[in-house]
Amino acid sequence: MPAPSPTLRDLLGAHATDAAAFCRAHPHAFLVPAAAARRGRRALALGTGALAHPIHAVESAGGPWAAVTVGRSEECDVVLDDPRVSRHHATFERREGTGEYALLDAGSRNGVRIGAARLSAWSLVPVASEARISFGGLELIFLSAADLFALAAPLGPAPLARAR
C-alpha cells in the first residue's frame, strides 16, 4: 500500500518562507483537491483549510522526464482512491527542456476533463498550471511548484508552525 499523500503543511515544512528552496526540493507539479482552492475575483486562492488536504506530487520514480501514471491502482505514480477513477485513468508527460506538461486519458471509463473540455481517449493535451482537472468526476487543481508556493505564501508560516 502506498504511503499517504502529504499535506501542504508537510510539503512546505522548512521551506515555508523560501520559494527557491521549495522549488529546488520539489521540481515537479502537484495536484491539489479542488475543495482546498477557491476562485477569487481575479485568481485562484487557497484557504487555511488547504493545509490539511492531501497533495499529490506529479512525479515518477523513473525520473523527472518519465511518464506519470494516475489511477486507482497502487501501481500508479499518483494514486487516487475514488471509485470514479479507473485503475489506470490517465498519464502525464513532461516535455524535456521546457518542463511543460501534457495529459493523456488512458481510455478511462469516466473520462478526463481539463476545465469544461473532455479529452478524447489516447490524445495528448497540454495542461497549464492552475488548470482544473477532473478524473472521472474527482476534481483537482494542477499547480506548478512555484504556483503552489505562491498560493500558500499568503497563509503565512504561523498556521504551519501551530500544527507541528
Side-chain angles (χ1 to χ4, degrees), residues 3-66:
S5 297
T7 64
L8 181 54
R9 180 181 293 113
D10 297 332
L11 285 173
L12 288 172
H15 308 299
T17 59
D18 187 346
F22 179 79
C23 291
R24 278 192 306 275
H26 305 286
H28 46 75
F30 294 91
L31 291 169
V32 177
R38 57 181 161 58
R39 247 321 140 189
R41 280 186 278 177
R42 292 186 214 162
L44 188 69
L46 295 177
T48 54
L51 294 170
H53 282 277
I55 306 292
H56 304 281
V58 180
E59 65 178 338
S60 170
W65 307 112

Side-chain angles (χ1 to χ4, degrees), residues 15-161:
H15 308 299
T17 59
D18 187 346
F22 179 79
C23 291
R24 278 192 306 275
H26 305 286
H28 46 75
F30 294 91
L31 291 169
V32 177
R38 57 181 161 58
R39 247 321 140 189
R41 280 186 278 177
R42 292 186 214 162
L44 188 69
L46 295 177
T48 54
L51 294 170
H53 282 277
I55 306 292
H56 304 281
V58 180
E59 65 178 338
S60 170
W65 307 112
V68 177
T69 56
V70 179
R72 214 177 53 243
S73 170
E74 292 179 12
E75 295 174 4
C76 289
D77 298 305
V78 176
V79 178
L80 302 175
D81 187 20
D82 187 291
R84 299 170 291 181
V85 175
S86 297
R87 285 188 300 273
H88 178 196
H89 202 98
T91 300
F92 281 99
E93 291 188 9
R94 191 170 186 194
R95 297 202 164 93
E96 199 165 345
T98 66
E100 295 172 344
Y101 286 85
L103 182 60
L104 171 106
D105 180 339
S108 65
R109 169 176 261 172
N110 293 323
V112 176
R113 291 182 181 276
I114 298 176
R118 185 172 177 141
L119 276 61
S120 298
W122 307 109
S123 63
L124 201 55
V125 177
V127 61
S129 189
E130 295 193 20
R132 184 176 290 264
I133 302 175
S134 172
F135 297 97
L138 177 63
E139 296 220 359
L140 300 166
I141 307 293
F142 178 84
L143 292 169
S144 67
D147 286 345
L148 178 62
F149 187 90
L151 289 170
L155 302 176
L160 297 170

